[in-house]
Amino acid sequence: MNDFSIPGLTPLLLSLKLAGLTTLLLIFIATPLAWWLSQTKNGFKPLFEAIVALPLVLPPTVIGFYMLVLLGPEGFIGRSWIGMGGDTLTFSFTGLVIASMVYSLPFVVQPIQNAFEGLGRHILESAWTLGARPIGAFFSVVLPLSAKGYLTALVLGFAHTLGEFGIVLMVGGNIPGKTRVISIAIYDHVEMLDYSYAHKLSAGLLIFSLLLLLGVYLINHRWRIRT
Amino acid sequence: MTTSDVTIKFNNPGFDLDVHFPLPTRGISGLFGPSGSGKTTLIRCLAGLERPSQALIRVGDSVWQSDNIFLPAHKRRVGMVFQDVRLFDHLKVEGNLLFGYKRTPVPDRKIKIDDVLKILELKPLLGKRPEKLSGGEAQRVAIGRALLTSPSLMLMDEPLAALGEQHKKDILPYLKKLPENFGIPMLYVSHDFEEIAALTQYMICLNNGKIQAQGKLPEVASNLPEIMHRWAPDNFIKGETCGPGKYKLPDGQVIHIPLAASPARIVINARDISLLRIAPEHHAGDALLKGQIEKIAEICGEKNMIRISLAGQEINVLLGTRGSNESWICPGNEVYMVINRIKLEME
């Protein structure tokens, strides 16, 4: 452990790395998914929306349990991953990223979907009649006009992953430098009755989260003034 | 001159659009009809935003839709102006104007940016964000944006409907200037007959998904009693100013106008004319014109739309219910028109 100089640096950096990577990957997955959900006239749309929203209501232990089963060497994802030449996913950082993506999916999909739905078809139609191809219209009109939705999605996805605990514990365990993220580290120190250390880590996370959200609200506020 | 042809069959639950008509290849054509008559569906089909089950849409030399062709909207070279404007809020006015221009292949860019800026007076707006524009300004930008794609057909879907009266009056002159300046045929949709009448002499009437009448405004209008009942057409009289306060018609008759004015045309609404069999003895003469009755049209069961030939021009006179049954009002007779009110059209 090399986190003696600054308390909890390694777990904090690991948490940031996990949250950053998870959010980044989720944006790429959520964009087409949110677009499809916002445009489809499929009768099963409510079902798909309900599935996307599931992680909002399920206890993290339930998701964690199923992810553990799926990611394990005998599970569907774990087996395929090993088949493609990967290492075991359970109790690894990669496994954590995959599990976190499931866990934070609704927090990224929903703001983007809302932004797309708020735009409506109208603005697309006007882009088409001005000669923009459907894909071009998406990048030149839909994406920039959905910037607020993306900002919300980024922050919620990031913050939510940062604060996750149950899934990390079940899928990733508690391996220092690998899967021991900050929330686990705090739990550890509390269990060992090392309250002062837990205080430092908790306060650090609290301040960091506050600053992050403050930044977002400031940006949002400025946008609102401008428009 | 190449023609444009439109045949569309579009079936929606509870509503069928079934039209076939030639589309004028120049000037503004008014597409008129009551709400729910299918106007918007029709031009959405033209724009490629709806896909009718069966259609033949040919604009000039290019076929936009036939049995085995369906050009998507972005390939149609159609300039569309929507009722709800639909500017892109993330771009300034300049970005909005150039959006379509940049996507138009260079050889097709027939309309010049400078001309659009000048005629629609957009230069002062270039740096503004769309949300800072008034309704009329925003619609002017939307029109300019569509023009800059150098479209082969402009479609305007009630572009003034969302504007207040004052803004409507402000923007009409801009619209009027478009055909002569850019030479693009325009289909102008409105449920407001006066708006169409102010813009164009050519109209297509849609009712219940079918073309009810198409042609020059007075003829179309006299086929549509329910409209004529509420509406009287303007007459445009051409002559020339001859001396202060005098406007001379080709046959020598003179209309008195304000002293300093030098109008291009005189506008007299069909309601502002009454007919007399003989010239009154003590009439000043300044507002009295002699003409010959050509035709009498029935409107709502009354013979009250009188067409009169005046110095080689057609004048429509809408009589009130009283007086229209007088025996001297019949084709061939000479009558005197008392002009109660004139408007001047300057150039």
Side-chain angles (χ1 to χ4, degrees):
Chain A
M1 263 196 266
N2 59 355
D3 56 5
F4 285 108
S5 47
I6 305 172
L9 186 63
T10 308
L12 177 65
L13 287 180
L14 195 65
S15 278
L16 294 179
K17 189 174 145 196
L18 176 66
L21 199 59
T22 301
T23 312
L24 189 71
L25 291 173
L26 265 183
I27 290 285
F28 284 104
I29 292 173
T31 297
L33 182 58
W35 180 252
W36 182 78
L37 284 172
S38 72
Q39 301 298 309
T40 184
K41 293 188 176 83
N42 192 317
F44 288 105
K45 178 181 168 180
L47 178 64
F48 291 108
E49 287 183 308
I51 292 172
V52 169
L54 264 185
L56 289 174
V57 293
L58 283 180
T61 43
V62 173
I63 306 172
F65 170 66
Y66 281 117
M67 289 314 291
L68 193 60
V69 172
L70 279 172
L71 296 176
E74 298 305 314
F76 174 68
I77 301 176
R79 206 175 43 216
S80 323
W81 184 261
I82 291 170
M84 288 188 298
D87 288 331
T88 316
L89 281 175
T90 40
F91 308 108
S92 76
F93 183 73
T94 312
L96 262 193
V97 172
I98 296 174
S100 301
M101 282 168 66
V102 173
Y103 179 58
S104 294
L105 183 71
F107 291 85
V108 178
V109 171
Q110 286 182 352
I112 298 178
Q113 185 187 339
N114 287 341
F116 288 163
E117 280 173 353
L119 283 183
R121 227 179 108 87
H122 288 176
I123 209 76
L124 274 176
E125 289 183 345
S126 91
W128 295 337
T129 59
L130 290 167
R133 294 159 188 283
I135 194 81
F138 180 79
F139 284 106
S140 58
V141 175
V142 174
L143 276 191
L145 284 174
S146 306
K148 259 187 186 181
Y150 272 90
L151 182 70
T152 311
L154 276 173
V155 171
L156 286 183
F158 189 85
H160 191 246
T161 312
L162 202 62
E164 106 181 46
F165 174 74
I167 290 186
V168 179
L169 197 61
M170 292 192 74
V171 175
N174 188 359
I175 307 167
K178 229 171 130 189
T179 63
R180 189 175 188 244
V181 296
I182 193 156
S183 54
I184 306 279
I186 293 169
Y187 177 74
D188 260 2
H189 290 295
V190 172
E191 235 189 0
M192 294 184 290
L193 297 177
D194 183 359
Y195 277 25
S196 73
Y197 206 112
H199 257 313
K200 283 176 195 156
L201 291 181
S202 300
L205 193 59
L206 191 131
I207 291 168
F208 179 82
S209 305
L210 183 66
L211 288 177
L212 183 72
L213 290 174
L214 185 66
V216 170
Y217 281 108
L218 278 177
I219 292 174
N220 248 332
H221 190 61
R222 207 175 265 175
W223 271 350
R224 214 171 302 143
I225 287 172
R226 209 184 62 188
T227 50
Chain B
M1 193 171 75
T2 49
T3 58
S4 298
D5 231 349
V6 176
T7 305
I8 292 173
K9 283 187 209 298
F10 187 86
N11 306 309
N12 251 7
F15 176 76
D16 286 337
L17 181 70
D18 187 353
V19 295
H20 170 70
F21 62 100
L23 196 62
T25 47
R26 56 172 61 191
I28 304 180
S29 309
L31 178 60
F32 170 79
S35 301
S37 56
K39 305 184 296 289
T40 297
T41 308
L42 172 53
I43 67 163
R44 286 178 61 81
C45 288
L46 288 175
L49 299 173
E50 301 283 350
R51 189 168 188 160
S53 47
Q54 201 190 330
L56 180 67
I57 302 172
R58 191 172 53 78
V59 174
D61 293 331
S62 54
V63 175
W64 288 354
Q65 186 174 356
S66 68
D67 289 341
N68 47 13
I69 296 175
F70 178 81
L71 276 191
H74 66 273
K75 289 190 180 152
R76 290 201 178 194
R77 303 177 42 72
V78 54
M80 181 104 178
V81 178
F82 300 91
Q83 180 179 340
D84 51 355
V85 190
R86 306 187 189 181
L87 293 181
F88 303 132
D89 285 336
H90 65 296
L91 300 172
K92 291 182 177 165
V93 166
E94 185 176 9
N96 272 281
L97 287 171
L98 293 178
F99 188 93
Y101 184 80
K102 283 192 284 194
R103 287 167 173 77
T104 306
V106 179
D108 293 337
R109 292 179 188 168
K110 297 204 178 73
I111 290 182
K112 295 192 177 64
I113 297 176
D114 284 342
D115 291 346
V116 170
L117 293 183
K118 199 176 86 195
I119 285 158
L120 292 170
E121 293 177 44
L122 293 173
K123 230 174 207 149
L125 308 179
L126 283 179
K128 289 194 181 181
R129 303 210 144 261
E131 67 265 12
K132 301 277 187 214
L133 302 176
S134 74
E137 288 172 336
Q139 200 54 286
R140 259 154 60 205
V141 174
I143 293 166
R145 179 175 77 164
L147 277 172
L148 280 172
T149 62
S150 301
S152 41
L153 176 65
M154 281 282 275
L155 300 171
M156 301 200 164
D157 188 7
E158 310 232 10
L160 305 188
L163 302 180
E165 275 310 313
Q166 190 52 48
H167 280 132
K168 271 188 201 180
K169 289 209 176 79
D170 291 345
I171 208 165
L172 272 172
Y174 293 106
L175 290 172
K176 272 187 175 177
K177 284 191 282 185
L178 295 181
E180 53 178 307
N181 280 293
F182 299 110
I184 296 171
M186 287 169 50
L187 192 57
Y188 185 96
V189 172
S190 182
H191 67 274
D192 181 343
F193 201 52
E194 307 218 357
E195 198 176 300
I196 288 187
L199 273 176
T200 175
Q201 285 286 296
Y202 193 90
M203 67 185 287
I204 301 160
C205 285
L206 199 61
N207 198 8
N208 217 359
K210 297 207 160 48
I211 303 281
Q212 210 175 15
Q214 174 174 17
K216 283 226 165 168
L217 209 139
E219 284 112 74
V220 170
S222 56
N223 285 327
L224 297 171
E226 71 274 18
I227 295 163
M228 288 310 303
H229 196 57
R230 298 193 308 263
W231 180 82
D234 275 336
N235 294 297
F236 301 95
I237 303 173
K238 246 184 138 55
E240 55 184 358
T241 315
C242 62
K246 288 185 174 173
Y247 191 79
K248 196 170 84 179
L249 302 182
D251 66 351
Q253 298 196 72
V254 170
I255 301 176
H256 286 245
I257 54 173
L259 278 180
S262 176
R265 292 196 295 186
I266 303 273
V267 186
I268 306 172
N269 190 268
R271 263 190 227 283
D272 295 331
I273 303 171
S274 40
L275 297 184
L276 292 173
R277 184 163 55 112
I278 42 175
E281 276 178 42
H282 300 294
H283 199 278
D286 56 348
L288 202 61
L289 297 170
K290 197 170 145 192
Q292 191 179 36
I293 296 179
E294 272 193 344
K295 191 182 153 191
I296 299 165
E298 272 189 34
I299 289 152
C300 298
E302 288 174 50
K303 296 175 180 163
N304 52 4
M305 179 61 108
I306 320 292
R307 187 174 304 157
I308 293 170
S309 146
L310 168 72
Q313 300 174 47
E314 278 178 2
I315 306 289
N316 288 291
V317 179
L318 185 67
L319 294 183
T321 44
R322 229 158 27 93
S324 56
N325 289 323
E326 298 279 354
S327 61
W328 52 269
I329 299 182
C330 69
N333 278 5
E334 288 199 328
V335 288
Y336 291 91
M337 290 176 276
V338 181
I339 313 297
N340 301 314
R341 199 153 62 101
I342 61 169
K343 284 182 279 180
L344 308 179
E345 206 176 65
M346 305 299 176
E347 205 58 53

